[in-house]
Structures are given as C-alpha cells and as structure tokens.
C-alpha cells in the first residue's frame, strides 16, 4: 500500500521541494511546502516594519496572520499560490530580504508552535506530501514515509544560483554558497526543532543525480521499490 502521509526534510536547495511537488502530482496528493509559512510571516513582519529581533511581536504576528496556500492561480511558473491577508505574495516571499530574515524568524519557538499547529491540521487529512526541516521529526513523526534529502553545499549553491539567474536576478556563486551555509548553520543548531534526519528517515543523497534520475528514484521509493533497481 502506498504511504498516505509523506514527510520530506532537508537543507535549502537540496531538491526536496522538487521531489515533494513531483510526488504530489504523481500520487494526486496535496502538496505543502511548509517553508512558505515561515516566509509569509517574515514577509509580513518586514512589510509592517516589525523588527525581526522583536520575538514577542513576531510571535504575535504569526499567531494571528491569515495565510492561505492553494493550488496555483496563475500561469507564471509557480507551483502554488500563497496569500497573506488576501494579498498574493507568492513571489514576494522569495525576495532576498526574506531569505536574509527567515532563519531567525523560524528559530522563535512561539512562531514554530503557531505554524506547526496549522501543519498538523492539514496532515491529519492524509494524502499529503509535506516538505520542510522538521516534518519527520516534529510535525508528523508518525508519517508513513520519511525522506531526508541532501546534496553537497557546492551543488546546492550552483542550483540556487541558476534558479536566481533564470529569474533574471544577479547571483554570485560565492555569496549564494555563503548564504546557504549560514542558513544551514542556523537551521541545524537552533534549539527549537533543529534540522536533522528522523532516525527512521531514508537518506536520499542526490548530489550526482540528474533531475530525472532523482524523480524516478523518488517514485520508486513511494512505490516501495529499491530506488536503484532496474528502471
Ligand atoms: O525551505 P525554505 O528555504 O523555503 O525555508 C525557509 C526557512 O524556514 C528556512 O530558514 C528554514 C525554515 N523552515 C523551518 O524551520 N521548518 C520548516 N518546516 C520549514 C522551513
């Protein structure tokens, strides 16, 4: 029987969202990239000029903020639409200012509690692929299948750089690598729900795989097959 709840965790630009989105289409499941919730709170704090260092104010914001994540409403390359208080922020939450501020916001335990509660409500419905940093360890520790997706920091930096350049943004390799390493460091050393593999997660290293190979292997994993077996 195929897993109903699939938890996918891993560091930034490791391929976890690409895998998660693909699997959700393959299985016709709901897809939730939970990083967008942390990004939406961060975006709203910046938009309202709330200091990111003000933990109480940011937590209060997270507890009351109306965030909707829904199937894509536009044909501009997005996988889904994110609205904050009705405003479409799908691309705004990917801005470099949000990148720079999202790790401290996601380290606040009150913010995590508020957002984890929403994630669990969604997971309880089943037939879901949920992607993040602590899905298999904290949000749905009883998920039917857990993947922990990794790739080398250099490979991840190349991918992120390419992604930025494709969008017409400037992206220096060294700066992208440094930003990724800083975020890895904050995400894995924070006290609240640090980034780490659940003991029962399958470690999925895709450093040397093409996107096609990576997605085929992921399909085989949900089908209960050896990912490296005959295609
Ligand atoms: O995956 P992403 O880059 O969009 O995530 C944005 C930030 O949110 C990142 O710093 C890690 C954090 N995050 C988290 O702490 N827990 C999650 N379940 C998802 C994301």
């Amino acid at each position: 029987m195929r897993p109903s709840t699939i938890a996918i965790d891993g560091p930034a630009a490791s391929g976890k969202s690409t895998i998660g989105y693909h699997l959700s289409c393959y299985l016709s499941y709901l897809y939730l990239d939970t990083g967008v919730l942390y990004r939406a709170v961060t975006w709203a704090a910046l938009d309202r000029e709330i200091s990111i260092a003000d933990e109480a104010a940011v937590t209060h914001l997270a507890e009351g903020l109306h965030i909707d994540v829904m199937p894509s409403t536009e044909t501009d390359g997005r996988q889904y639409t994110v609205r904050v208080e009705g405003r479409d922020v799908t691309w705004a939450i990917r801005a470099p200012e949000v990148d720079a501020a999202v790790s401290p916001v996601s380290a606040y335990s009150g913010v995590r509690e508020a957002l984890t509660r929403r994630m669990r409500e969604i997971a309880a419905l089943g037939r879901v692929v949920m992607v993040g940093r602590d899905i298999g360890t904290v949000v749905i520790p009883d998920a039917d299948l857990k993947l922990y997706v990794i790739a080398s920091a250099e490979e991840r930096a190349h991918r992120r750089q390419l992604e930025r350049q494709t969008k017409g943004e400037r992206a220096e390799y060294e700066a992208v690598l440094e930003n990724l390493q800083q975020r890895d460091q904050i995400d894995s050393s924070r006290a609240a729900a640090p980034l780490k593999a659940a003991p029962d997660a399958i470690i999925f290293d895709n450093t040397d795989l093409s996107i096609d190979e990576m997605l085929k292997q992921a399909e085989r994993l949900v089908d209960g097959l050896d990912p490296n077996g005959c295609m």
Side-chain angles (χ1 to χ4, degrees):
M1 217 174 58
R2 277 174 165 168
S4 174
T5 44
I6 301 178
I8 305 183
D9 294 299
S14 58
K16 60 186 189 306
S17 311
T18 307
I19 293 172
Y21 182 66
H22 177 76
L23 288 180
S24 73
C25 299
Y26 179 64
L27 299 167
S28 300
Y29 282 10
L30 180 77
Y31 173 61
L32 183 64
D33 175 359
T34 59
V36 305
L37 301 179
Y38 291 97
R39 286 175 177 275
V41 171
T42 306
W43 174 85
L46 295 171
D47 186 58
R48 294 173 192 197
E49 296 181 5
I50 294 171
S51 165
I52 296 297
D54 186 342
E55 180 169 355
V58 176
T59 302
H60 183 70
L61 176 70
E63 283 165 347
L65 199 66
H66 195 100
I67 309 169
D68 284 317
V69 186
M70 62 193 74
S72 171
T73 55
E74 309 288 331
T75 49
D76 57 2
R78 63 181 64 186
Q79 293 172 331
Y80 42 73
T81 292
V82 185
R83 294 212 177 112
V84 168
E85 306 294 350
R87 203 163 137 192
D88 187 339
V89 296
T90 313
W91 295 118
I93 61 170
R94 300 279 160 199
E97 303 81 68
V98 175
D99 270 354
V102 69
S103 274
V105 167
S106 63
Y108 292 147
S109 58
V111 171
R112 301 202 71 83
E113 269 168 41
L115 299 184
T116 297
R117 218 174 302 128
R118 296 187 200 185
M119 293 172 206
R120 287 188 179 141
E121 285 166 12
I122 295 168
L125 303 173
R127 295 177 62 88
V128 65
V129 180
M130 211 173 265
V131 172
R133 301 291 193 290
D134 62 338
I135 309 304
T137 49
V138 175
V139 179
I140 35 173
D142 58 350
D144 300 324
L145 177 71
K146 299 180 188 179
L147 301 182
Y148 190 76
V149 180
I150 53 171
S152 72
E154 291 74 19
E155 174 60 26
R156 293 187 286 126
H158 277 303
R159 292 177 188 174
R160 194 41 61 92
Q161 183 191 26
L162 196 67
E163 199 179 289
R164 288 260 154 82
Q165 287 172 342
T166 310
K167 284 198 265 166
E169 294 168 15
R170 259 174 68 90
E172 304 293 342
Y173 172 78
E174 290 303 330
V176 174
L177 179 64
E178 199 181 317
N179 176 272
L180 280 180
Q181 286 172 328
Q182 269 171 8
R183 284 177 52 198
D184 286 355
Q185 166 66 19
I186 300 180
D187 292 344
S188 49
S189 60
R190 68 180 177 221
L195 168 68
K196 64 169 190 236
D200 53 346
I202 296 170
I203 310 292
F204 189 177
D205 186 344
N206 60 75
T207 305
D208 298 318
L209 298 182
S210 68
I211 292 189
D212 274 357
E213 287 166 335
M214 173 177 92
L215 299 180
K216 264 280 164 281
Q217 290 201 5
E219 287 176 10
R220 292 180 65 86
L221 282 168
V222 299
D223 287 332
L225 301 170
D226 175 354
N228 294 307
C230 296
M231 290 290 167

